[in-house]
Amino acid sequence: MGEKVKVAIIGSGNIGTDLMIKVLRHSEVLEMGALVGIDPESDGLRRAHRLGVATTHEGIDGLQSLPVWRDIGIVFDATSAGAHRKHSAVVTGAGKTMIDLTPAAIGPYVIPVVNDGEHLDAPNVNLVTCGGQATIPIVAAISAIATVHYAEIVASISSKSAGPGTRANIDEFTETTARAIETVGGAAEGKAIIILNPAEPPMLMRDTVFILSSGCGEAEIETAVEEMVERVRAYVPGYRLKQKVQFERFGSNNPQQIPGLGRFEGIKTSVFLEVEGAAHYLPAFAGNLDIMTSAGLRTAERIASRRIQKGLA
Amino acid sequence: MRDGLRSHRFQAVHTGCNAPRRNACLRHQYSLDHIRAIASALDEARVDAIEVSHGDGLKGSSFNYGFGAHTDWEWIEAVADVVKHSVLTTLLIPGIGTVEDLKQAYRLGVRSVRIATHCTEADISRQHIAAARDLGMDTAGFLMMSHMIEPEALAKQALLMEDYAPSVSTSRIVVALWTWTASGSATRLMIEC
């Protein structure tokens, strides 16, 4: 067949440019249609131009004026939550699919290995957060075989990889991630913590997942976690377990008390993850950004295959 | 139970600026009766402010930092019940607690807050400092681990915090820095028990 769906990326910063390089180098079903920015001097737009990709520095209005606009099937938004609302209205109004990498979360949350099949026809899907992409697969893996009473994630990223958008609204990270741990991960209660680490040289992204569950033994949990790590690695090659999965048991003689939630018997599972970026455009330490663009690529590819199947491409 | 093993920290910070301030910080794993008794005694002694939160700030209760015996809200309500003179204060670390948590603390009677970041990351406190100001709270910026960077860089970070809310006074910020850089000096009294 060889049929491809044309995509546009709004946002010519780190995320948008890295995503463009992934589409150009790796995708068999996506084709770069345009990179959209607001600064003609941005490195991303200049790079796109060199690579033969159509560009505009006039934002969403400029995109609609490009000849390629009518052929675009999928648009990524790598700008900000504030700008996303307008972008989404234009894109979905034109019958195109919007993949939202901002925290706006107008559409349903998508974590590729967990639920991307559920939202293939949604006009707008949201990719949660980098910490969510790294940790929610683990929560979902345990939820599939046990009752998850509580899931807590700690995302540690290098200060250098936290852009101004993240810094200006860090609550969106904790709130969005916690909600998605519950709605996509299947935990009764979710909690998220983010730590910016200024160490030099910059550290690779690290994520810790603590899960309190009952109804399933340690061996099955370990196998489920290891299998899930492999499934994420299929689209994020730098994703790995930093240590063996660890367990702590809470029996009737020593239940775990969580203030506000109650006392629980069961197993605490601790999973220590590391995410090394593919260094397509961003440095390898920025695994937090790489996992977002990788998840975006994967999600778009599933949606593109669906559009091709339905004859919409 | 780990409750009995966790170290309890009572921290009183006597800051030597022109508006002398006594600040007491109670860490988790007390009972509500303990905290009422302690707060009551501090209040009787006319301590200016009593800070109540998990040791890692509002919503710090977690596997990562240790669970408290009660929620922040239960602790704060218990102290709010008995305090007549002291200003009820709390601690918020962006990335752990949120603006929503700050608002909840305010609803329960908290009128002063320290907003803390790692000393190089002041810009993540913008929305929290602004929200505290909008609530009319007495607000202090607090740069942690300040021994990690040079004084000039530290001052730049403090100025960022000041920019986020003009009512956050430089003296308060500098005092917090000074207290930490001079850790162990007479300006800071910490008792581990």
Side-chain angles (χ1 to χ4, degrees), chain B residues 58-141:
Chain B
L58 295 176
K59 289 290 178 73
S61 190
S62 57
F63 275 124
N64 200 47
Y65 299 117
F67 287 110
H70 296 276
T71 63
D72 295 309
W73 318 133
E74 289 167 334
W75 293 124
I76 289 170
E77 279 176 336
V79 174
D81 277 350
V82 298
V83 164
K84 298 183 186 72
H85 311 286
S86 307
V87 176
L88 188 48
T89 303
T90 197
L91 172 67
L92 176 73
I93 303 180
I96 302 173
T98 65
V99 167
E100 269 315 303
D101 299 325
L102 184 64
K103 288 180 179 167
Q104 176 64 8
Y106 182 86
R107 281 192 285 270
L108 297 176
V110 173
R111 291 294 178 270
S112 172
V113 62
R114 283 193 302 159
I115 295 175
T117 71
H118 184 82
C119 60
T120 54
E121 314 296 321
D123 60 356
I124 64 169
S125 67
R126 177 194 291 267
Q127 65 186 163
H128 312 83
I129 288 179
R133 173 204 55 198
D134 291 346
L135 288 166
M137 296 175 85
D138 167 56
T139 309

Side-chain angles (χ1 to χ4, degrees), chain A:
Chain A
M1 294 243 299
E3 201 175 358
K4 290 191 174 186
V5 172
K6 282 200 169 65
V7 302
I9 299 170
I10 311 176
S12 61
N14 285 335
I15 293 265
T17 307
D18 189 76
L19 187 52
M20 172 182 73
I21 292 171
K22 282 184 166 57
V23 170
L24 288 170
R25 281 199 204 160
H26 297 299
S27 190
E28 290 174 7
V29 290
L30 306 177
E31 183 180 339
M32 269 309 292
L35 182 69
V36 181
I38 49 173
D39 174 6
E41 297 304 311
S42 71
D43 182 61
L45 287 184
R46 279 188 300 194
R47 191 172 290 234
H49 186 69
R50 281 206 302 278
L51 292 166
V53 174
T55 62
T56 170
H57 63 272
E58 292 172 341
I60 185 79
D61 297 336
L63 173 61
Q64 292 174 87
S65 310
L66 290 177
V68 73
W69 169 245
R70 55 185 293 273
D71 298 327
I72 300 282
I74 297 172
V75 180
F76 296 95
D77 194 345
T79 61
S80 68
H84 179 70
R85 294 182 185 284
K86 182 187 171 194
H87 296 163
S88 184
V90 171
V91 168
T92 58
K96 306 173 194 302
T97 303
M98 175 56 100
I99 298 181
D100 174 18
L101 286 83
T102 80
I106 295 173
Y109 296 134
V110 168
I111 306 287
V113 279
V114 181
N115 71 337
D116 64 350
E118 292 169 24
H119 301 296
L120 293 176
D121 295 318
N124 179 318
V125 294
N126 176 268
L127 293 179
V128 195
T129 61
C130 59
Q133 288 294 341
T135 59
I136 291 169
I138 303 298
V139 180
I142 299 180
S143 283
I145 55 172
T147 303
V148 174
H149 306 292
Y150 173 82
E152 171 185 320
I153 73 104
V154 185
S156 298
I157 64 173
S158 69
S159 293
K160 275 202 175 136
S161 67
T166 303
R167 289 170 174 277
N169 208 342
I170 203 150
D171 283 6
E172 280 177 349
F173 177 93
T174 49
E175 288 165 352
T176 301
T177 308
R179 264 200 307 275
I181 288 169
E182 296 165 6
T183 58
V184 183
E189 178 80 15
K191 182 177 183 67
I193 294 168
I194 183 168
I195 295 168
L196 305 189
N197 188 324
E200 286 290 342
M203 58 173 287
L204 298 178
M205 183 196 202
R206 293 282 301 270
D207 295 278
T208 308
V209 189
F210 300 107
I211 292 171
L212 186 61
S213 69
S214 59
C216 188
E218 295 174 10
E220 293 119 293
I221 290 175
E222 185 168 18
T223 304
V225 169
E226 287 172 356
E227 282 174 4
M228 183 55 86
V229 169
E230 286 309 309
R231 290 176 61 199
V232 176
R233 279 172 73 84
Y235 63 97
V236 190
Y239 183 85
R240 56 194 170 234
L241 278 175
K242 185 73 179 167
Q243 299 173 40
K244 266 179 82 70
V245 180
Q246 295 176 15
F247 298 100
E248 186 177 349
R249 281 174 177 275
F250 297 102
S252 56
N253 58 343
N254 69 333
Q256 172 67 52
Q257 157 139 356
I258 300 183
L261 291 183
R263 286 176 181 271
F264 298 92
E265 293 172 32
I267 295 175
K268 172 190 172 191
T269 304
S270 303
V271 180
F272 303 93
L273 300 159
E274 184 172 76
V275 188
E276 181 174 359
H280 285 135
Y281 179 68
L282 309 160
F285 63 75
N288 49 312
L289 305 181
D290 189 70
I291 199 167
M292 282 300 273
T293 54
S294 297
L297 185 74
R298 172 70 167 235
T299 303
E301 287 179 333
R302 291 284 310 263
I303 292 170
S305 299
R306 172 79 162 183
R307 288 181 76 98
I308 291 168
Q309 200 180 39
K310 286 169 69 182
L312 279 172

